[in-house]
Amino acid sequence: MSSTSSSVLRADQIWIDGKFVKWDEGHMHVMTHALHYGLGVFEGIRAYRTHDGRLAVFRLKEHIQRLMDSAHICLMKMPYTAEQLEEACLELLRKQRDLFSNGAYLRPIAFMGDGAMGLGAVNPIRAVITAWDWGAYLGEKGIREGIRAKVSSFTRMHVNVNMVRGKISGQYVNSILAKREAVLGGYDEAILLDISGFVAEASGENIFMVNKKGVIKTPPLSSPILDGITRDTVLKLLKDSGRYVEEVTFTRDALYIGNEIFFTGTAAEITPVREVDNRQVGEGKPGPVTKFVQDTYFRVVRGQEPRYAEWLTYV
């Protein structure tokens, strides 16, 4: 058994460039290009213990395809196929089958390695997959009761400044600064606006709201937001339940007077927001739409909704 801290389990092996090595041997040279300039792409993928005790990876193919797309956007020639990376994820979990009793969080990452330096350098692409047991990203209490969010002073970058369809390492400095600002101010998470002042997304999550008329809204993909796989999942679940979602821009004060707000993301899963900028959202607790999404989502990832079985890849 290994751990990154006294309370977090991690795999005792890492997949690096096609080979498994011990966790403590997972080193990269200090001259790794991505360390200096941020050119890398990554994914966060969850595997869940299903209701029958098996381990299943949620929407593995979609995550790996987005990794490949992100690399393509960045002119990074991936040394492995999507199928090879999918199998590497599964094999890593097979080697740790007894360790992750509560499921696991997978982190595939690809980046420009060491060699030449400078912005024009083109070095071999390295690929790594790690896994650990990462609980609720914004806390179990946050999942149950909701969190406090702050509209950040940092703006989500324009679509000609960052590549919004890519999950690109260097772009997350914007999110880190926003998150740090929020946490230092006593909040749990940051909400970023776009350059026109419309709500974009949180530092690492997509956002949904329900207004006083019961209309569910989420920013459109024409906004500078990540095309979240959990976002896509929630849109599908809501549509299948007969609920309509407007993919439309809206302002921060629409959040203030909304009845419900929740974040979606692989790490955050479905996290309610009970307060924005010191203004209580609705009744200050998860509302009926949020609870429906949470309940349905967790049933799906645990294999209790057969109609969505194709989203699960069993280890």
Side-chain angles (χ1 to χ4, degrees), residues 8-74:
V8 180
L9 296 174
R10 58 161 169 81
D12 57 19
Q13 295 184 62
I14 299 173
W15 184 91
I16 300 180
D17 296 330
K19 298 179 181 179
F20 287 96
V21 302
K22 294 180 179 179
W23 180 282
D24 292 336
E25 296 174 0
H27 305 301
M28 295 293 156
H29 199 279
V30 294
M31 294 302 288
T32 294
H33 190 276
L35 179 62
H36 296 258
Y37 302 115
L39 185 58
V41 298
F42 70 98
E43 281 295 318
I45 311 173
R46 280 197 186 269
Y48 290 88
R49 282 289 174 187
T50 57
H51 68 102
D52 57 4
R54 293 187 289 171
L55 190 65
V57 185
F58 186 62
R59 302 197 70 172
L60 175 62
K61 290 185 179 295
E62 291 90 340
H63 277 288
I64 296 300
Q65 185 56 58
R66 188 171 65 183
L67 182 75
M68 302 298 285
D69 289 344
S70 297
H72 183 69
I73 288 169
C74 291

Side-chain angles (χ1 to χ4, degrees), residues 120-159:
V122 180
N123 299 333
I125 302 302
R126 310 291 302 274
V128 176
I129 303 172
T130 59
W132 67 92
D133 181 2
W134 204 1
Y137 177 63
L138 294 170
E140 294 292 344
K141 184 177 180 181
I143 291 279
R144 295 191 309 270
E145 301 177 11
I147 64 167
R148 299 178 67 238
K150 176 189 187 297
V151 174
S152 180
S153 69
F154 292 93
T155 300
R156 182 58 85 215
M157 293 177 286
H158 187 268
V159 295

Side-chain angles (χ1 to χ4, degrees), residues 58-100:
F58 186 62
R59 302 197 70 172
L60 175 62
K61 290 185 179 295
E62 291 90 340
H63 277 288
I64 296 300
Q65 185 56 58
R66 188 171 65 183
L67 182 75
M68 302 298 285
D69 289 344
S70 297
H72 183 69
I73 288 169
C74 291
L75 295 173
M76 294 169 54
K77 185 173 177 58
M78 290 289 284
Y80 301 95
T81 65
E83 291 75 19
Q84 288 173 316
L85 293 172
E86 290 170 21
E87 179 57 30
C89 287
L90 295 173
E91 184 60 23
L92 178 59
L93 291 178
R94 292 186 192 112
K95 288 177 175 292
Q96 310 294 320
R97 191 185 303 272
D98 297 328
L99 178 62
F100 296 121

Side-chain angles (χ1 to χ4, degrees), residues 46 133-148 179 183 187-189 205 263 265-274 286 294 298 302:
R46 280 197 186 269
D133 181 2
W134 204 1
Y137 177 63
L138 294 170
E140 294 292 344
K141 184 177 180 181
I143 291 279
R144 295 191 309 270
E145 301 177 11
I147 64 167
R148 299 178 67 238
K179 176 80 172 185
V183 171
Y187 300 86
D188 302 300
E189 183 55 291
E205 306 87 21
F263 293 148
T266 297
E269 298 167 306
I270 313 298
T271 300
V273 179
R274 72 174 191 274
Q294 279 186 326
F298 285 117
R302 290 172 181 141

Side-chain angles (χ1 to χ4, degrees), residues 305-314:
E305 294 287 346
R307 68 188 297 189
Y308 304 109
E310 66 179 11
W311 285 342
L312 299 176
T313 301
Y314 286 91

Side-chain angles (χ1 to χ4, degrees), residues 202-257:
S203 72
E205 306 87 21
N206 293 114
I207 187 169
F208 286 75
M209 68 161 291
V210 184
N211 69 15
K212 283 185 166 55
K213 296 181 180 179
V215 179
I216 307 169
K217 298 184 179 185
T218 193
L221 293 181
S222 57
S223 297
I225 66 172
L226 186 69
D227 186 1
I229 291 169
T230 310
R231 174 187 183 275
D232 178 75
T233 299
V234 169
L235 287 172
K236 175 69 172 171
L237 297 179
L238 289 168
K239 179 181 178 182
D240 288 351
S241 71
R243 294 170 170 87
Y244 174 70
V245 182
E246 290 186 358
E247 296 184 63
V248 63
T249 56
F250 50 86
T251 56
R252 75 171 80 184
D253 51 2
L255 295 177
Y256 297 162
I257 60 174

